[in-house]
Amino acid sequence: MMLKIKRVPTLVSNYQKDQSENPALPLRGCGRNCLKTCCIQDAKVPLYAFKNLTGKDLPLHEPPLAFLDSLILGEWEDRMQRGLFRYDVTACETKVIPGEYGFIAQLNEGRHLKKRPTEFRVDKVLQPFDENKFNFTKVGQEEVLFQFEPSDDGQVQFFPNAPVDVDNSPSFVAINVSPIEYGHVLLIPHIFECLPQRIDRHSFLLALHMAAEGDNPYFRLGYNSLGAFATINHLHFQAYYLAVPFPIEKAPTEKITNFSGVKISQLLNYPVRGLVFEGGDTLEDLSNVVSDACICLQNNNIPFNVLISDSGKQVFLLPQCYAEKQALGEVDAELLDTQVNPAVWEISGHMVLKRKKDYDEASEANAWRLLAEVSLSQERFEEVNALIFEAIGCGELDGNDQSLKEVDAVGTSTHPTVVAGSQQECVVQQ
């Protein structure tokens, strides 16, 4: 008998409700054991203190003990046994779609069917933090797995019962109560600073450290900007385990240039145009180049998604325009009916489907068709790359032609009618 998950609202916390939904709740002493000042002062939360990696320290072989993996999964399974998740994600049907790319389809009817109304504008990548709307300080302490901070002595340390230094605003790792996959967690940098969903150098380096510490090729981190299907305007990254390669990780690339030891390439033969960053003498070198590129997109109001792969050694940067096309009425009704909002995981090739019909009929052509609507046109992609290279101070591109080569996103006749069908530029509001 096939198991089915319960249909519930999409939430990232069991406490994702505002005062208007619970008018009787007091502003202080809320009784929820939350992360706000009314409850957090005397709390003790496990602390994982990570080693500050340099380029020479990057793990090239399996460590003797994958402690971060064990910690995340052990604590995550503990929360599952305690009934903190909205459904059992391990009961969701999942399959690899036949074809060249190996797109992964998951039937997850527990997400988005009674979706909480969006609390911010979808046409503005940068918006101020609003403490009156849901944010992660309202999360219950039982949803927090551990604090994630750099070690004082350069070595990995773990403290099972560490005080929470509110004044120094630690970074937390918490469960996503509506998980997409096994071990689905949130990394919330400097939670008490109440930062909006906006990448900066320090927060992105923290995410790379988490990927490097995990040192597991099946553990990836993702980021969605506002306008690219982030659901909460409070700075956070997502991460989970999926024990198969993502299609985007298998896509061929073409080198564009090197900058500060970081190789910058473009994706080939993939439905979504994007950049790939690899290398650097240190983790910070890679982080600075990618985060500066993200900051450029933010400042130019260009929505984007980021996938951190290969234990922090490879980063995909994917500007997108699906929400804008939706607003302009340019997305086919058949695609809209799927209710799939293509964020970082879908763009990477993990298609989270909401309807049994779409899951049963899942095909490589259907996945390609949806993701092709996400992508910038070739012309707009080149314009955006020019902005990025100027922002990061990149010199001349490799090769005689400094413009990006026109890429056949199909490469073969496998998908002859999908990518070439739409060359209209997305309107990016600046």
Side-chain angles (χ1 to χ4, degrees):
M1 182 177 66
M2 187 62 63
L3 297 174
K4 291 189 177 181
I5 56 180
K6 182 181 178 182
R7 299 187 174 208
V8 297
T10 296
L11 300 176
V12 294
S13 170
N14 288 317
Y15 300 102
Q16 191 174 335
K17 298 180 183 294
D18 57 28
Q19 286 294 118
S20 64
E21 294 170 324
N22 296 275
L25 287 176
L27 292 177
R28 292 186 176 275
C30 67
R32 285 177 167 175
N33 198 31
C34 71
L35 302 181
K36 298 179 76 67
T37 55
C38 55
C39 301
I40 196 65
Q41 296 298 330
D42 298 321
K44 297 290 181 67
V45 177
L47 168 62
Y48 181 100
F50 62 85
K51 181 179 180 181
N52 280 312
L53 297 172
T54 67
K56 294 181 180 179
D57 293 325
L58 285 175
L60 299 177
H61 306 286
E62 288 191 5
L65 178 64
F67 181 69
L68 184 61
D69 269 2
S70 300
L71 177 62
I72 290 175
L73 295 178
E75 294 294 313
W76 193 88
E77 289 182 350
D78 171 77
R79 302 317 190 271
M80 183 168 64
Q81 292 173 3
R82 288 159 61 178
L84 296 183
F85 293 102
R86 292 284 170 169
Y87 49 79
D88 180 6
V89 72
T90 64
C92 294
E93 295 180 68
T94 298
K95 63 184 178 183
V96 176
I97 300 173
E100 178 184 355
Y101 290 85
F103 289 102
I104 305 112
Q106 180 196 94
L107 176 61
N108 194 327
E109 295 175 292
R111 294 177 63 89
H112 302 296
L113 294 176
K114 298 178 182 178
K115 184 173 171 59
R116 177 184 176 87
T118 301
E119 295 186 316
F120 47 81
R121 296 175 59 177
V122 298
D123 62 343
K124 293 289 185 181
V125 174
L126 296 180
Q127 298 177 45
F129 180 88
D130 186 344
E131 64 180 5
N132 295 316
K133 296 176 180 176
F134 176 78
N135 63 79
F136 295 113
T137 66
K138 299 181 181 182
V139 164
Q141 291 178 27
E142 69 273 16
E143 295 177 22
V144 176
L145 304 185
F146 54 90
Q147 304 175 67
F148 187 69
E149 293 292 311
S151 172
D152 291 333
D153 63 1
Q155 298 299 318
V156 174
Q157 294 180 309
F158 180 68
F159 305 91
N161 291 289
V164 177
D165 188 350
V166 177
D167 292 337
N168 286 325
S169 193
S171 301
F172 281 1
V173 174
I175 61 169
N176 185 330
V177 300
S178 294
I180 288 175
E181 257 302 338
Y182 186 76
H184 192 168
V185 296
L186 306 170
L187 171 64
I188 311 163
H190 305 295
I191 185 169
F192 300 116
E193 291 185 17
C194 294
L195 302 169
Q197 186 72 341
R198 175 178 188 161
I199 280 181
D200 58 72
R201 278 189 167 191
H202 187 273
S203 66
F204 196 80
L205 180 59
L206 186 74
L208 283 187
H209 273 297
M210 186 171 179
E213 286 286 316
D215 195 29
N216 184 330
Y218 298 131
F219 181 65
R220 293 92 162 183
L221 277 79
Y223 176 88
N224 302 315
S225 78
L226 300 186
F229 301 106
T231 56
I232 301 297
N233 188 22
H234 189 176
L235 181 58
H236 65 287
F237 296 81
Q238 300 184 52
Y240 63 70
Y241 294 84
L242 187 66
V244 294
F246 280 171
I248 199 171
E249 295 170 333
K250 299 186 292 182
T253 61
E254 178 181 61
K255 180 181 174 183
I256 300 174
T257 191
N258 275 297
F259 181 70
S260 295
V262 176
K263 183 176 78 170
I264 306 175
S265 307
Q266 63 177 334
L267 285 170
L268 301 179
N269 303 338
Y270 199 72
V272 182
R273 296 180 175 90
L275 296 176
V276 187
F277 299 80
E278 302 168 280
D281 292 333
T282 67
L283 204 65
E284 190 170 6
D285 288 340
L286 178 60
S287 177
N288 287 345
V289 173
V290 178
S291 58
D292 286 353
C294 294
I295 291 167
C296 168
L297 295 180
Q298 291 169 169
N299 292 341
N300 285 278
N301 200 35
I302 301 170
F304 64 94
N305 309 91
V306 177
L307 177 72
I308 300 174
S309 183
D310 193 19
S311 301
K313 302 181 187 72
Q314 185 178 53
V315 182
F316 297 84
L317 177 58
L318 304 144
Q320 69 144 295
C321 59
Y322 191 83
E324 288 187 80
K325 284 186 174 181
Q326 277 184 306
L328 295 171
E330 296 176 356
V331 178
D332 188 275
E334 186 178 350
L335 293 178
L336 294 177
D337 287 345
T338 67
Q339 305 175 59
V340 175
N341 292 328
V344 60
W345 307 121
E346 288 79 10
I347 292 173
S348 300
H350 188 194
M351 315 302 294
V352 182
L353 303 175
K354 317 301 185 300
R355 303 187 305 180
K356 187 71 162 61
K357 172 181 181 291
D358 298 321
Y359 181 80
D360 291 341
E361 298 174 359
S363 66
E364 187 171 278
N366 288 342
W368 194 283
R369 181 185 174 204
L370 172 66
L371 295 184
E373 291 295 327
V374 175
S375 183
L376 303 185
S377 69
Q378 180 67 30
E379 183 179 1
R380 181 58 183 159
F381 182 59
E382 291 182 15
E383 293 173 356
V384 168
N385 285 347
L387 291 173
I388 289 173
F389 294 140
E390 181 180 3
I392 65 178
C394 191
E396 293 187 356
L397 305 184
D398 292 346
N400 296 325
D401 185 359
Q402 292 185 22
S403 65
L404 294 180
K405 298 177 181 178
E406 178 69 30
V407 176
D408 177 6
V410 179
T412 70
S413 59
T414 307
H415 310 281
T417 63
V418 177
V419 173
S422 176
Q423 290 297 320
Q424 182 173 354
E425 284 188 32
C426 297
V427 179
V428 178
Q429 301 184 10
Q430 299 183 8

